[in-house]
Amino acid sequence: MTCGVPQGSVLGPVLFLLYAAGVINLVEECGFCAHAYADDLQVYQHVSPAQSSELLEQMANCISRVEAWMASNRLRLIPAKTEVIWLRSSRRLAQCPADPLIMPGSSIQPVSCVCDLGVVVDQDLSLASHVSHVTSVCFFHLRKLRLVRCSLTIDTAHALVPALIHSRLDYCNGVFAGLPAGLFNHLQSVLRASAQLVLGLPGRAPVMSAIRDKLHWLSYPQRVTFKLCLTTYKCLHGLAPPYLTRFCTPLSTVAGSTHLRSADQHKLFVIHTSTSTFGSRAFSSSSPLSWNGLPPQLRDPAITISIFRQSLKTHLFNNNSD
């Protein structure tokens, strides 16, 4: 670049974060939690169904204060890009209010799904909408690649598929931890179709052994395990954000667990979850469980990240099944 700054902001990404840092404190003063990424801001809170109407009023007041803060700092809150969603289990569907969120000059109706940094989050947290979106985009690119496959070598096709397909399958795939087998099968079908394209096999040809032996690709559930374990390694070695690191607690530092044999094996503390549907899928539970399932040599804190990645992939290959 010869002039200007990235991302279109007159401040640039780093200076913009410093400039807008005050809005996080404002949201927390209103009693809400916030996650921010560049100019995307998520405000959230949890209540019982009986308090949902009160929460809407508090949220409207919070957004009004944020809008006033932004106006005083020469920023603008765009109502058209503001979305509201209730996250709950399917049995609590009728208990969630359908009332809109009233903002100055506009009202926002709750939606059934939102796109948060490329991940489609539906209101029952099933991630079925995101799986459908990922598979449809991947198959779109696979159809385009089939049109030119006859002009490509195997090596070229093998390079294009990870760039166009695997990059989409692996993006934020840690959120798929604990996903039902039916949804995993949809994602696995993309890998099978990709392998058939690279190897030039017909549509109904068995390809799972070729995925492992020729292409050296992990199956999709194992790709999720790989991401969780790698993220856990980064958390334990100070390479991950604090909001993830705090969920990776070695058993050797937990009171009452230091005498356990597992504490000497570099295992992590697994928190108790009150729900079997959502609790075990959270990073605070899925990450320690995946880490504790690794062999002791992979949990050794002395190994480097490059050796860990290579050894982890070998371990998952050895435990792969057709």
Side-chain angles (χ1 to χ4, degrees), residues 98-139:
D99 300 333
L101 176 66
I102 305 299
M103 293 177 55
S106 63
S107 61
I108 304 173
Q109 288 287 346
V111 296
S112 59
C113 63
V114 296
C115 185
D116 187 4
L117 299 180
V119 177
V120 182
V121 182
D122 37 25
Q123 56 188 0
D124 59 355
L125 293 176
S126 65
L127 293 179
S129 299
H130 185 56
V131 170
S132 176
H133 172 72
V134 170
T135 54
S136 62
V137 171
C138 288
F139 278 119

Side-chain angles (χ1 to χ4, degrees), residues 46-116:
H46 62 88
V47 294
S48 63
Q51 299 173 308
S52 54
S53 298
E54 180 181 349
L55 179 64
L56 274 179
E57 296 179 2
Q58 296 175 352
M59 181 71 74
N61 177 62
C62 177
I63 294 178
S64 297
R65 294 186 60 183
V66 169
E67 186 175 28
W69 181 92
M70 296 180 70
S72 65
N73 287 272
R74 299 183 180 183
L75 299 173
R76 181 188 177 194
L77 179 66
I78 305 177
K81 293 186 176 180
T82 303
E83 294 178 306
V84 177
I85 185 172
W86 291 101
L87 303 176
R88 78 292 177 272
S89 62
S90 56
R91 70 184 183 89
R92 292 188 180 273
L93 175 62
Q95 297 176 317
C96 291
D99 300 333
L101 176 66
I102 305 299
M103 293 177 55
S106 63
S107 61
I108 304 173
Q109 288 287 346
V111 296
S112 59
C113 63
V114 296
C115 185
D116 187 4

